[in-house]
Amino acid sequence: MEFALPDHLPGLLAEMDAFIEAEIKPLEREHMQYFDHRREYARTDWESGGIPRREWEDLLDEMRRRADAAGWLRYGLPARFGGRDGTNLDMAVIREHLAHKGLGLHNDLQDESSIVGNFPQVIMMDRFGTEQQKQEWIEPMITGERSMAFGLTEPNHGSDATWLETRAEPDGDGWIINGRKRWNTGVHRATHDLIFARTSGEPGQAHGITAFLVPTDAEGFKVPFYWWTFNMPSDHGEVELDNVWVPADAVLGEVDRGLEVGQTFLHENRIRQAASSLGAAQYCIDRAVEYANERVVFGKPLSVNQAVQWPLVELQTEAQMVRLLVYFAAWHLDHDHHMQVSDKVSMANYRANRLVCEAADRAMQIHGGIGYSRHEPFEHIYRHHRRYRITEGAEEIQIRRVAQRLFGFGRR
């Protein structure tokens, strides 16, 4: 059995690091208020509902522009979109590598922003869009001219996505949509919101849900407020749809089969999310080990104490096991249909997301009071990655998916 990375990856990671040092780190150093202990306050427009400051997002846009010009941003996309046909395994290794480098402009996961872009919406559009939709959407989404929020969760329905109360009714050559959506991430700047609404069938049925590309400036589309969260700024909007009309060509995919669109989005995100959590966990472990070796207490290094050693050994062991699982699941995604490997993706996702929370917490503990402060990055890492145990399917949903495959019940 071969455990080595593909031959092209070590050299590619070295090239990437050189680009970061030459193009991104100097830009980061010019705007350190977004990355040091001031980061949460500098990034947040507190007077405008807690959304990200435009200056902060402009900096992220410049980072992506430089990465695109250098050929990195589209790495994971097909060559026909200007990408390099990067595989799921490539992307898992890259996402881990970038997160392992710690906080920085090169990879700010609070905004899902990285020099190597994660474009689940592009993949979703490529699989389910009409030719006209692909032409109108794919390149503008990559460059940022168009953007799409994701409107699946509702006030009364989160993980139970087949029980949607939002409904869409046929109306002439279009549809009228009524309902409410919650956690519409990025809607403050999105040109459209991908709204999932019931168009037929009964509550609890997977069939009968349709995905609609709804313009955020449509009459009746409102964002009454943004949810302030554990990790600020917040771009998670509450959305109200009051008799919002969209044309027939606003449907993405097939009518009544919108959950297939949503599943593609989630599966693309879950494995890459897991890789990022793994990388951030390894960063926390490495920093804790380094500090324990340097810190002298009662006349000897902190690291000689088994109470310090053993928790870090447990975390390092878990990280190595999760790494093999992430790579294994990513490799299978490259060779099998995503539904065939969904249990492996779920395993990798929930274990990696737990690991990073435990690693950040342990790093805080070993660093003592300074670890709890905002002058170290552990609190930021914890606050960000803690949401991954809820988003893209709560870890209970991930575990249930594994149970379905293990016990042979439900959807396979």
Side-chain angles (χ1 to χ4, degrees):
M1 185 174 292
E2 179 61 62
F3 287 101
L5 292 179
D7 291 340
H8 67 281
L9 277 176
L12 183 129
L13 296 178
E15 289 178 35
M16 191 180 303
D17 287 345
F19 165 74
I20 291 170
E21 290 301 318
E23 292 283 337
I24 304 302
K25 284 298 180 183
L27 188 61
E28 178 185 315
R29 286 191 286 270
E30 292 175 17
H31 300 88
M32 281 306 296
Q33 72 271 25
Y34 297 122
F35 304 99
D36 62 17
H37 60 281
R38 300 166 289 178
R39 53 189 168 260
E40 184 175 17
Y41 293 92
R43 296 177 181 193
T44 305
D45 189 341
W46 302 99
E47 304 305 317
S48 300
I51 64 174
R53 288 190 183 278
R54 189 55 188 258
E55 298 86 351
W56 161 235
E57 295 194 311
D58 287 346
L59 180 62
L60 295 175
D61 288 343
E62 174 61 17
M63 176 272 287
R64 286 189 288 266
R65 187 195 66 76
R66 294 186 183 195
D68 201 15
W72 291 112
L73 186 69
R74 308 184 191 209
Y75 179 87
L77 291 176
R80 64 182 180 278
F81 302 140
R84 299 201 212 175
D85 295 313
T87 65
N88 281 294
L89 179 56
D90 285 356
M91 289 296 288
V93 173
I94 288 169
R95 299 274 285 187
E96 180 196 355
H97 178 78
L98 293 176
H100 188 197
K101 293 173 74 69
L103 301 187
L105 184 57
H106 66 284
N107 188 63
D108 193 83
L109 293 176
Q110 183 184 39
D111 297 85
E112 297 297 339
S113 184
S114 174
I115 63 164
V116 178
N118 187 32
F119 294 107
Q121 294 98 331
V122 172
I123 295 168
M124 196 166 57
M125 184 62 70
D126 187 37
R127 288 184 187 173
F128 297 99
T130 64
E131 288 306 313
Q132 181 177 345
Q133 286 173 330
K134 292 176 186 179
Q135 294 212 358
E136 292 176 353
W137 275 91
I138 289 180
E139 182 64 20
M141 274 198 291
I142 297 170
T143 60
E145 295 169 48
R146 276 195 173 190
S147 54
M148 182 194 304
F150 194 75
L152 180 59
T153 301
E154 296 185 353
N156 295 323
H157 304 284
S159 297
D160 53 343
T162 59
W163 293 80
L164 300 183
E165 295 178 38
T166 299
R167 299 194 66 87
E169 304 288 345
D171 181 72
D173 59 348
W175 299 80
I176 289 181
I177 306 173
N178 283 281
R180 291 176 67 95
K181 293 293 179 179
R182 182 160 289 175
W183 310 119
N184 290 247
T185 302
V187 74
H188 69 296
R189 286 188 66 180
T191 59
H192 293 71
D193 199 358
L194 187 64
I195 297 292
F196 292 82
R198 184 158 291 285
T199 46
S200 70
E202 299 297 327
Q205 293 180 342
H207 187 79
I209 293 172
T210 303
F212 296 92
L213 292 160
V214 180
T216 54
D217 61 358
E219 185 177 354
F221 185 98
K222 301 174 185 175
V223 184
F225 65 92
Y226 290 86
W227 286 91
W228 285 31
T229 62
F230 196 34
N231 202 18
M232 294 292 284
S234 171
D235 57 357
H236 311 295
E238 187 87 352
V239 166
E240 297 176 353
L241 301 110
D242 183 12
N243 290 321
V244 174
W245 186 87
V246 294
D249 62 5
V251 172
L252 179 60
E254 297 182 36
V255 172
D256 291 338
R257 298 184 64 176
L259 278 189
E260 295 175 15
V261 178
Q263 285 174 331
T264 296
F265 178 92
L266 294 174
H267 282 159
E268 287 294 329
N269 261 359
R270 282 173 181 167
I271 191 63
R272 297 174 186 183
Q273 187 185 81
S276 295
S277 288
L278 170 61
Q282 192 66 64
Y283 171 82
C284 292
I285 295 166
D286 291 351
R287 283 289 306 275
V289 169
E290 180 183 14
Y291 183 81
N293 278 328
E294 293 175 351
R295 178 71 164 176
V296 175
V297 294
F298 302 108
K300 56 187 179 182
L302 188 64
S303 59
V304 304
N305 297 297
Q306 288 181 333
V308 171
Q309 295 172 5
W310 289 16
L312 289 174
V313 168
E314 294 277 5
L315 288 169
Q316 181 69 9
T317 303
E318 177 81 3
Q320 184 58 35
M321 291 190 292
V322 169
R323 181 170 295 109
L324 293 173
L325 178 56
V326 168
Y327 292 1
F328 176 76
W331 183 88
H332 271 288
L333 277 174
D334 289 326
H335 294 84
D336 303 310
H337 188 275
H338 66 92
M339 290 305 294
Q340 290 180 289
V341 71
S342 63
D343 60 327
K344 305 298 187 300
V345 172
S346 289
M347 289 177 188
N349 185 269
Y350 88 82
R351 294 300 302 211
N353 295 335
R354 280 188 189 177
L355 172 64
V356 66
C357 291
E358 293 170 1
D361 184 75
R362 179 53 52 181
M364 285 186 215
Q365 190 70 21
I366 288 173
H367 278 75
I370 194 70
Y372 181 69
S373 78
R374 293 177 186 266
H375 295 262
E376 291 291 342
F378 310 121
E379 56 81 29
H380 180 85
I381 291 170
Y382 182 89
R383 285 188 291 111
H384 167 69
H385 285 274
R386 183 60 182 83
R387 78 173 184 171
Y388 281 175
R389 295 175 63 186
I390 300 171
T391 61
E392 269 66 35
E395 65 179 37
E396 291 82 3
I397 295 297
Q398 313 285 4
I399 292 170
R400 189 178 73 165
R401 179 61 186 137
V402 178
Q404 286 175 332
R405 189 63 58 86
L406 181 64
F407 293 97
F409 64 84
R411 290 175 295 155
R412 298 188 65 82

